[in-house]
């Protein structure tokens, strides 16, 4: 399970980094505050994951100082695309924890998967993307 | 061979033939009775065939798809937003059927779409939130091999509720 937890940690750290880039390019104040709230949630999850990995005596790999973004972010539209991309990626990382957890821990992982999927839907609506939802959030390649 | 002798031998072979046909028919009849007996036994329900724990989730997915079909019929203006969600539910049903080992449900919109209660975005949203709870419970109780699928279905239902706001 530490492997999946470490992957979730990496996804959360990438999300925190990405939201820093996204925030710069968003225009509406509601969009900016949404991005800030999302980033804050990803920070909380990052901290929880670090604590959990520490509890399991697993070594926590240091987060890279910078990330190669999947595409260039130059304006509001590409910033919204990155937000959707990041939340879909985080959802995948949490989904991978479902088969290796049980009971409360699984329900928590599912709740994080769901939060990211719902956030991705909100960003899709703001971006005017169609459709708003994926049939299997978190499934790789979905 | 003389004529009488030949007739007798024909008669004899005839008898034998008839007899063997009777025997054959008798055997066949006995055989089919035995087969019928087997069939009846096979038709007996297996002792306590507990339905698959994911069956309610599959039924719910089909019911939700049908509810979307009704809403689209009643308000065609909503079709662009609702059709992909109905398709999500059908994809869930197909995937669940595969896992359960049941016959995959028809991919076509339900024929009874015209019947039933009037659906609005608000009633669909309420149904999605209730269905999300069912899927969360199914995910919690599922063996590892089914956890990811049921989890994705729960998350998808939550995104539908969000998309219906």
């Amino acid at each position: 399970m530490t492997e999946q937890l470490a992957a979730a940690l990496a996804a959360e750290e990438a999300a925190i980094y990405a939201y820093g880039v996204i925030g710069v390019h968003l225009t509406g104040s509601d969009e900016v505050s949404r991005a800030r709230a999302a980033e804050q949630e990803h920070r909380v999850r990052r901290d929880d994951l670090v604590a959990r990995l520490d509890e399991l005596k697993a070594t926590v790999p240091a987060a890279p100082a910078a990330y190669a973004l999947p595409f260039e972010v130059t304006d509001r539209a590409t910033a919204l695309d990155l937000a959707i991309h990041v939340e879909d990626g985080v959802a995948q990382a949490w989904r991978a924890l479902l088969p290796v957890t049980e009971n409360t821990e699984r329900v928590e992982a599912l709740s994080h998967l769901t939060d990211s999927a719902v956030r991705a839907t909100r960003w899709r609506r703001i971006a005017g993307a169609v459709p708003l939802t994926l049939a299997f959030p978190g499934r790789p390649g979905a | 061979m003389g004529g009488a002798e030949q007739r007798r031998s024909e008669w004899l072979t005839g008898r034998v033939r008839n007899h063997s046909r009777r025997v054959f028919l008798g055997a066949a009849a006995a055989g089919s009775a035995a087969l019928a007996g087997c069939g009846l036994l096979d038709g007996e329900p297996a002792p306590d065939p507990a339905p698959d724990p994911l069956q309610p989730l599959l039924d719910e997915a089909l019911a939700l798809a049908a509810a979307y079909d009704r809403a689209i019929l009643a308000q065609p203006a909503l079709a662009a937003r609702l059709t992909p969600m109905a398709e999500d539910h059908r994809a869930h049903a197909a995937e669940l059927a595969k896992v359960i080992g049941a016959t995959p449900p028809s991919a076509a919109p339900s024929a009874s779409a015209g019947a039933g209660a009037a659906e609005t975005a608000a009633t669909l949203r309420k149904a999605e939130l209730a269905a999300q709870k069912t899927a969360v419970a199914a995910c919690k109780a599922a063996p590892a091999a089914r956890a990811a699928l049921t989890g994705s279905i729960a998350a998808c239902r939550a995104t539908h509720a969000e998309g219906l706001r």
Side-chain angles (χ1 to χ4, degrees):
Chain A
M1 185 181 43
T2 56
E3 190 193 320
Q4 288 83 358
L5 286 170
L9 176 58
E12 294 290 2
E13 278 167 342
I16 294 163
Y17 176 85
Y19 271 110
V21 178
I22 291 161
V24 174
H25 293 282
L26 294 181
T27 44
S29 63
D30 58 326
E31 290 173 10
V32 173
S33 62
R34 240 180 231 283
R36 282 211 189 107
E39 182 182 340
Q40 194 48 42
E41 270 211 45
H42 288 296
R43 284 186 189 281
V44 170
R45 287 194 221 159
R46 189 261 322 263
D47 295 347
D48 288 350
L49 282 162
V50 169
R52 181 80 181 101
L53 282 161
D54 193 47
E55 217 172 73
L56 294 168
K57 309 272 179 244
T59 42
V60 179
Y67 291 82
L69 295 176
F71 44 81
E72 211 184 340
V73 176
T74 53
D75 54 10
R76 177 179 175 269
T78 46
L80 289 173
D81 283 349
L82 182 60
I84 295 164
H85 178 89
V86 154
E87 295 296 353
D88 284 349
V90 170
Q92 284 184 26
W94 285 107
R95 186 186 194 256
L97 269 150
L98 300 179
V100 296
T101 49
E102 284 181 335
N103 300 317
T104 320
E105 208 174 356
R106 184 186 285 175
V107 173
E108 267 173 37
L110 174 54
S111 147
H112 300 329
L113 155 60
T114 304
D115 284 351
S116 274
V118 167
R119 243 196 303 275
T121 292
R122 285 195 198 122
W123 288 128
R124 281 188 173 92
R125 182 168 47 211
I126 289 169
V130 178
L132 287 175
T133 58
L134 303 173
F136 298 98
R139 177 184 279 187
Chain B
M1 200 185 276
E5 225 181 294
Q6 193 179 352
R7 268 199 302 280
R8 191 161 62 209
S9 86
E10 273 174 3
W11 182 83
L12 275 172
T13 47
R15 279 289 298 229
V16 169
R17 218 183 267 134
N18 280 343
H19 175 70
S20 61
R21 189 180 294 145
R22 258 203 314 277
V23 168
F24 172 75
L25 284 173
S32 62
L35 284 174
C38 282
L40 279 173
L41 285 175
D42 287 349
E44 293 285 335
D48 188 29
D52 192 286
L54 295 187
Q55 188 64 45
L57 209 56
L58 195 164
D59 295 343
E60 203 171 37
L62 292 174
L64 284 165
Y68 276 87
D69 292 344
R70 289 197 297 276
I72 292 164
L73 273 183
Q75 302 177 72
L78 294 179
R81 187 154 58 125
L82 300 190
T83 304
M85 296 183 184
E87 281 167 6
D88 287 347
H89 288 301
R90 290 200 175 85
H92 296 168
E95 201 76 3
L96 287 166
K98 220 193 302 177
V99 167
I100 292 171
T103 316
S106 156
S110 63
S112 60
E119 301 289 352
T120 63
T123 60
L124 289 174
R125 184 162 192 276
K126 208 173 149 196
E128 291 281 7
L129 290 172
Q132 182 199 351
K133 289 204 179 91
T134 318
V136 170
C139 178
K140 190 182 179 188
R146 292 173 163 196
L149 172 61
T150 50
S152 277
I153 291 172
C156 180
R157 289 172 174 182
T159 62
H160 286 175
E162 179 63 29
L164 289 166
R165 270 181 193 275

